[in-house]
Amino acid sequence: MAIFDLVMAERSKLQKFTEFTQALLPHETGYLLSIQHFDDKVKLAILQRIDHNCRHRQAFVPYDETVDKRKYSNLKRWIRERLQAIDVDADYERLLQAERAIETDQIRPETEEQLLERLRAATPQDYHFVKCYQVAQLYRHYLLIRMRYAEHRAVAAFLDRYQAAYTRAQAVRERLHQATQDIVCHYANPNAQSIQWEAELAQLFHDETLDGWNRYMALVRLTFIYYNYRHLEPLREKYAALDRLLLQGQYYSRRLLINYYGNRLLLHVQLKEYDEAEYYGYLSIRTKTADYLHYVNNLCAVLLRRKKYDEALSVMKAALPESRITHSFHNKIGFIALYLRCLTRMGRLSAAEQYADACLRAYRREIFEHRWHAFFSAYLEALILQRHYKRTLHLIKRYRLLERDQAYSAKSAYLPTIPLLYAFAARAEGLLNDQDLEHAIRHAQNLCADQPEKAVQITSLLQDLREHLAI
């Protein structure tokens, strides 16, 4: 029994190591391989296997249980230390802690040593250079009033040396804010313009003398512009440049990496590269961040498009607890609509109807404030596929969905699903004839004729409803 317990304990330790490595991201393992200088070939082999397993989850290779477990423990510690050392979010948190300690006269000697070391190593290219400079400004006052002249001289020299860089970084932040105003206005109003910012933002992103935060935020705004104008190839080039920076360990944090993977999914969807979109989608949900449900929604939309209903349902079930507690009703209602679509595609029509009824009772106001069109498109389809035509028409009339749809039709993302679903239900109840239904189908197809992605979605809906075409 004692030997059995020892074997189980060793397996448990290796299982924990496996779970630790499964949470790692490809850019993390790629960076670690680029900086390692192991003389120990066994450690290097383990790290290479970690990288393989991280990139090929479906071809997982178990770790060798005959290897000394201390090597796994030491490697795990080495990985954590190396990633922590370049984590820009951890750096920001340390700067905030130092700032609070200075403000409240509670800074400890060890914190001061860490701060002084941070200032000695700082450059204007650091991701959080601006915050570092601001903490140094505060620290200078703290030191001077206490007549700590040596430390004050060192901090003052840092501030003098980088004053021009700080002033420029602050000016760039203001320019980014001005650009954001035009970009958001264009996003809400297609008649507005934001392309005038493209050249300046691209220059900022590629400017290697600038701090990382400004460069990254310039790329975020460029992303909006390129999507607004559907200029996808320039965006591919920008993300390829960011990819190289991330592999070098620059601008690293798990949050930023997950955000990058989520953005890559959206880019590959626009480019109709669905294998790549799915790959990055799964990476984007490997760690739960504040935007986890948003990334789940995007991944599941890709899986549904690819008819991978089992996989989509599995991902959604795992995210159900998050969907219940999120404060973002935009993400919550989007999740509900996708979950309904998935249940419908799986043939679980009654379950879809019950779930939709419960959500409508619980979140009626929020549904009409956020993504009502997606919710009712999924809900009404589940009803029609069960031949619940009277219920369908009742909901359309009660909530004035055709009138709402008419107002919504000006949106760029509009799909004429609700009028189409109404036409099927109304024909089944004798309110429309065959010609009316055929006219509604042709009208929906014509609306999407010059937009291939929308045409595919309408065709898919018609295929799902094909058994009703003979009504």
Side-chain angles (χ1 to χ4, degrees), residues 34 38 58 68 114-115 126 139 150 153 186 209 212 281 334 353 363 402 420 437 451 454 469 471:
S34 73
F38 293 148
Q58 303 305 317
D68 186 340
Q114 292 171 1
L115 178 57
D126 290 351
Y139 190 41
R153 282 193 297 272
H186 183 201
T209 69
E353 179 182 357
Y363 308 119
L402 292 179
L420 197 56
L437 176 59
Q451 301 178 72
K454 292 184 179 182
L469 290 173
I471 292 175

Side-chain angles (χ1 to χ4, degrees), residues 216-224 227 232 235-236 238-240 242 246 255-271 273 276-277 279-285 291 294-295 298-299 302:
Y216 191 83
M217 291 304 138
L219 178 60
V220 171
R221 282 143 187 81
L222 271 174
T223 301
F224 270 90
Y227 280 143
L232 301 179
L235 188 57
R236 188 202 292 272
K238 300 296 186 297
Y239 275 100
L242 177 60
L246 293 170
R255 173 184 61 86
L256 291 175
L257 264 185
I258 293 296
N259 179 253
Y260 166 72
Y261 294 144
N263 285 333
R264 284 294 297 262
L265 174 146
L266 296 175
L267 173 61
H268 290 296
V269 166
Q270 293 294 324
L271 293 167
E273 298 169 350
E276 292 86 347
Y279 171 75
Y280 284 107
Y282 272 111
L283 288 178
S284 73
I285 65 169
D291 295 315
H294 171 67
Y295 299 138
N298 290 339
L299 170 59
V302 172

Side-chain angles (χ1 to χ4, degrees), residues 173-191:
R173 288 190 174 209
E174 182 57 33
R175 290 293 290 171
L176 289 176
H177 178 67
Q178 294 171 20
T180 305
Q181 291 176 313
D182 287 344
I183 293 166
V184 171
C185 181
H186 183 201
Y187 183 77
N189 178 12
N191 294 324

